[in-house]
Amino acid sequence: MSRTAVRAVRLGPRSVAALVLVGAVGVAAFGWPFLAPPDSGVGAHAEDAPWLFAGLLVLLVAVVAATISESGLGPKAVAMLGVLAATGAALRPIGAGTAGIEPMFFLLVLSGRVLGPGFGFVLGSVTMFASALLTGGVGPWMPFQMLAMGWFTMGAGLLPGAARLRGRGELALLACYGFLAAFAYGTLMNLAGWPFMGTMASNISFDPHAAVPANLARFLAYCLATSMGWDLGRAVCTVVLTLALGPAVLRALRRATRRAAFETPVTFDAPGA
């Protein structure tokens, strides 16, 4: 029996263009320490960069608005977005501060897988925004978190075999993706904060006058010294929850998606009909 993957958000040309634009700006925002020449004046403004790059939040909101307006995101998809974002935001504080145990990640992987890359990007960004409000984690780092989580969840929707792969093969694929993406998310967030350490740790801090290989070595040392254990905990937690709860959660999401029939317009009966 053939299956057709349901997409709550269909990405059109405007949405794709907006995602490419914010992706390009995001790469520049995360990677400027390795993109700016050593003799440039960027390093002199390192303390201002978090606030300047916080303007990414405006672009993220624009991407979400473009995606919603072009795809015709209906009330059923909005309702599912709200439920999943609220659930993810509520899961984030669980285990916070304990070896990187963050169960929110596995839910976003499975949701992105079932509902597609467009819905996944919106869900990842909105969930991180809601969790920041819930935990008081609002600051110049929040746009970076929103963008990284949007990429993380969108990537799950881009994995192959969405319409055909099921069972253990799909779980193994999602577990492997969740493991790697958990490390990738942690590395991106390290990259967002590493250039602003100043002289707190001279051997591993960003040196605006050093060559790219030297700064890359410093960054790798920074990751190993500060976040490797946390990222490993997040990755292992994501794998364990995906393998243990994945079948039930995937069935529930797919059942809810079929019943919602996102691509069927909502109609209302006239009074007295």
Side-chain angles (χ1 to χ4, degrees):
M1 181 178 63
S2 61
R3 301 184 181 96
T4 301
V6 177
R7 295 291 184 254
V9 175
R10 293 283 180 178
L11 292 178
R14 282 193 304 167
S15 300
V16 171
L19 284 169
V20 170
L21 174 62
V22 77
V25 176
V27 169
F30 280 110
W32 68 265
F34 302 122
L35 299 175
D39 57 350
S40 70
V42 175
H45 301 281
E47 297 301 323
D48 302 327
W51 301 100
L52 295 176
F53 286 134
L56 275 172
L57 180 58
V58 178
L59 289 174
L60 285 169
V61 173
V63 168
V64 173
T67 303
I68 290 176
S69 63
E70 186 176 23
S71 65
L73 189 62
K76 293 178 286 188
V78 170
M80 180 167 286
L81 174 65
V83 170
L84 291 174
T87 303
L91 286 174
R92 189 184 182 194
I94 298 176
T98 307
I101 298 175
E102 296 178 285
M104 173 182 72
F105 281 77
F106 105 95
L107 176 64
L108 294 181
V109 170
L110 301 185
S111 299
R113 170 66 170 178
V114 173
L115 293 161
F119 189 94
F121 184 86
V122 176
L123 175 62
S125 300
V126 172
T127 301
M128 188 56 68
F129 178 76
S131 67
L133 297 179
L134 181 65
T135 60
V138 178
W141 55 84
M142 187 175 69
F144 294 92
Q145 291 177 325
M146 292 176 64
L147 181 58
M149 190 59 69
W151 285 343
F152 174 85
T153 314
M154 181 175 67
L158 293 172
L159 293 173
R164 298 179 299 276
L165 185 61
R166 295 291 186 271
R168 294 181 179 178
E170 183 179 37
L171 285 180
L173 175 67
L174 294 175
C176 290
Y177 174 78
F179 185 87
L180 296 175
F183 275 101
Y185 175 85
T187 302
L188 281 176
M189 293 314 302
N190 285 340
L191 193 56
W194 169 65
F196 316 118
M197 293 177 57
T199 58
M200 289 187 297
S202 59
N203 292 331
I204 60 175
S205 62
F206 171 61
D207 182 357
H209 305 294
V212 170
N215 271 323
L216 182 59
R218 287 168 173 261
F219 177 65
L220 293 176
Y222 172 79
C223 291
L224 290 173
T226 62
S227 68
M228 180 58 67
W230 186 276
D231 293 340
L232 180 61
R234 181 193 298 117
V236 171
C237 177
T238 301
V239 170
V240 170
L241 291 178
T242 298
L243 295 178
L245 304 179
V249 175
L250 287 171
R251 283 196 300 269
L253 287 171
R254 288 184 170 124
R255 186 182 306 114
T257 301
R258 287 193 300 270
R259 291 181 178 178
F262 292 118
E263 297 176 0
T264 302
V266 177
T267 59
F268 298 95
D269 294 333

